[in-house]
Amino acid sequence: MQTLKVALVGAGMAGQAHAFGYRNASMADDLRDVAIELDTVADVSEALAEDVRLRYGFKRATADISQIAANPEIDVISVALPNHAHRAVLEVLLRSGKHVLTEKPLGVGVEDAEYLTNLSLQYPGIRSVGFSYRRIPALAQMAQIVREGRLGDIWHFESSYYADHAASAADRFTWRFDRATAGGGALSDLGAHAVDAIAFVISPIDEVLSAQFKTSITERTDRSGQQHEVTNDDFASALVRTECGAAGSLLTSRVAYGQPNRLSLSVYGSKGSAHFDTQHYNDLKVFEAGGNAATTGPSHVVMGPANPHYSDVSSFRSRGVNTGYGEAFIAEIQDFIRAVVGRKELDTTFDNALHAMRVIESMYAFDTKTALQN
């Protein structure tokens, strides 16, 4: 058995999703000989860190993040912090030479992302960014279908990420609504996943043709009752083109009532089309042209052990039993561990996060130009 000792920096919802992933990583057959020990959870709120320690089985909890970088026994570190905290914390952890998996984005803008990406190359260790949606079996299967050429040349696409967690004006002001601490709004928080899904399934975006933004709720009150201006976007839309020449749309919103959390991607090519959305995690619609016009139509493909990642994360390895959001985090952690022990090359590196950040900043720059013209 090979043993990896894990530390978690950030004990909020995203951090707990990472803890869930590590606890279940050995579900994969090829990782049964890797023992995962949950060693330390760190958070500025020591009470929260202690709560996560108890519930997920970490050995210790601390509010002192520096203990993790200095501990020679810790092998891998997961980071799930507010955007503005990424640069300072990651700089210390990267210099330690330990293996690091961090949530996106890499800071609050391109400057942070470029700095951290360059720094990651100067020290040993595997560096990964948490684009967990790539590990959803149906989306991974869609990417495989496109790479195999079954849809022909990709002509155009539609992508969106809608959520309604900020749709009420009564929702409290937090760092997410401040451009200085969050960077972008809905586009940076949610749209980054759509940008990465496009890069993963089709090809990276290399041109932003247009972009527009709207802040629907312009002021919010924090927990102390103080009023704050919202300085980033509730909604964003853009027209983009990818490296392979496919043109498409990207829309994202955090104020879309009735859409609690929905990523969707439709791809149209010279030989067919495919559609995926997270309201139907285990379904993929595929249409391949050329059949009998009287009877042909989109195939409704239900995920199972034949599809990517499914057998590694399913609690019951049978088609139609279904996987979901949590299982995508398990698969993300599994791929990270495979890279750490030298069994697989990662496809979600800091470079991927830097690409997403550059695309997002290009969208914001386009909108700035439009505003100046007006």
Side-chain angles (χ1 to χ4, degrees):
M1 293 289 290
Q2 180 174 356
T3 300
L4 295 177
K5 291 190 176 184
V6 176
L8 172 64
V9 178
M13 289 190 294
Q16 291 175 47
H18 283 229
F20 175 78
Y22 284 109
R23 283 193 64 174
N24 293 281
S26 59
M27 292 172 68
D29 290 340
D30 64 330
L31 294 176
R32 66 178 63 184
D33 61 339
V34 180
I36 305 297
E37 291 188 10
L38 301 183
D39 188 276
T40 306
V41 55
D43 196 276
V44 290
S45 169
E46 194 162 5
L48 178 59
E50 176 62 16
D51 178 62
V52 171
R53 183 193 73 79
L54 289 170
R55 290 191 294 113
Y56 287 90
F58 285 86
K59 289 183 179 179
R60 58 186 62 87
T62 181
D64 185 0
I65 295 173
S66 65
Q67 290 183 14
I68 292 173
N71 187 342
E73 293 188 356
I74 291 174
D75 302 295
V76 301
I77 305 170
S78 265
V79 179
L81 293 171
N83 301 356
H84 61 280
H86 276 182
R87 177 165 176 163
V89 172
L90 282 172
E91 181 172 6
V92 174
L93 299 181
L94 293 173
R95 292 181 187 278
S96 75
K98 300 181 187 298
H99 307 293
V100 175
L101 166 62
T102 182
E103 276 299 310
K104 60 81 194 163
L106 290 179
V108 296
V110 168
E111 182 182 350
D112 284 351
E114 289 179 341
Y115 175 78
L116 291 170
T117 300
N118 291 332
L119 185 66
S120 73
L121 301 176
Q122 298 174 30
Y123 297 89
I126 299 298
R127 284 70 171 88
S128 183
V129 175
F131 287 116
S132 59
Y133 286 100
R134 288 189 178 213
R135 275 76 184 189
I136 297 172
L139 190 65
Q141 186 62 64
M142 177 193 267
Q144 186 172 316
I145 288 171
V146 171
R147 284 193 293 269
E148 291 171 351
R150 289 171 54 185
L151 303 185
D153 297 329
I154 303 304
W155 287 338
H156 60 90
F157 59 90
E158 300 168 5
S159 66
S160 64
Y161 198 140
Y162 292 141
D164 65 2
H165 61 264
S168 171
D171 291 329
R172 297 297 186 188
F173 181 88
T174 69
W175 62 268
R176 292 185 183 278
F177 299 103
D178 180 9
R179 186 141 195 175
T181 54
L187 177 60
S188 179
D189 187 22
L190 306 174
H193 285 295
V195 170
D196 187 68
I198 293 165
F200 175 52
V201 174
I202 306 168
S203 64
I205 294 170
D206 69 351
E207 186 176 5
V208 177
L209 305 174
S210 67
Q212 63 173 336
F213 302 86
K214 182 176 182 180
T215 304
S216 301
I217 301 172
T218 58
E219 291 187 339
R220 294 181 185 270
T221 304
D222 65 21
R223 293 187 181 279
S224 68
Q226 184 177 354
Q227 196 84 355
H228 297 267
E229 180 187 2
V230 175
T231 55
N232 55 23
D233 50 287
D234 288 333
F235 168 83
S237 65
L239 296 177
V240 298
R241 183 177 288 115
T242 73
E243 290 179 359
C244 75
S249 61
L250 187 157
L251 295 92
T252 185
S253 172
R254 61 188 180 191
V255 294
Y257 267 126
Q259 302 283 359
N261 190 69
R262 185 180 189 180
L263 170 68
S264 125
L265 179 63
S266 297
V267 177
Y268 301 90
S270 59
K271 295 182 180 179
S273 63
H275 173 76
F276 166 77
D277 78 71
T278 55
Q279 286 198 341
H280 305 279
Y281 262 96
N282 292 273
D283 301 341
L284 179 64
K285 292 183 179 179
V286 182
F287 178 83
E288 295 185 69
N292 185 330
T295 57
T296 192
S299 298
H300 174 199
V301 183
V302 178
M303 296 297 105
N307 303 107
H309 304 295
Y310 191 95
S311 291
D312 290 340
V313 301
S314 175
S315 59
F316 197 92
R317 295 181 181 181
S318 178
R319 189 177 189 185
V321 172
N322 295 349
T323 66
Y325 187 82
E327 285 82 359
F329 274 91
I330 298 174
E332 170 186 287
I333 298 297
Q334 288 170 337
D335 277 350
F336 176 53
I337 292 170
R338 289 183 180 108
V340 168
V341 298
R343 298 178 186 175
K344 183 178 182 178
E345 187 173 339
L346 270 175
D347 67 346
T348 49
T349 66
F350 278 31
D351 284 336
N352 298 93
L354 177 57
H355 164 72
M357 190 75 88
R358 284 173 171 162
V359 170
I360 288 167
E361 190 137 315
S362 293
M363 293 178 187
Y364 284 130
F366 192 101
D367 187 61
T368 300
K369 293 173 185 176
T370 303
L372 290 173
Q373 289 170 2
N374 292 336

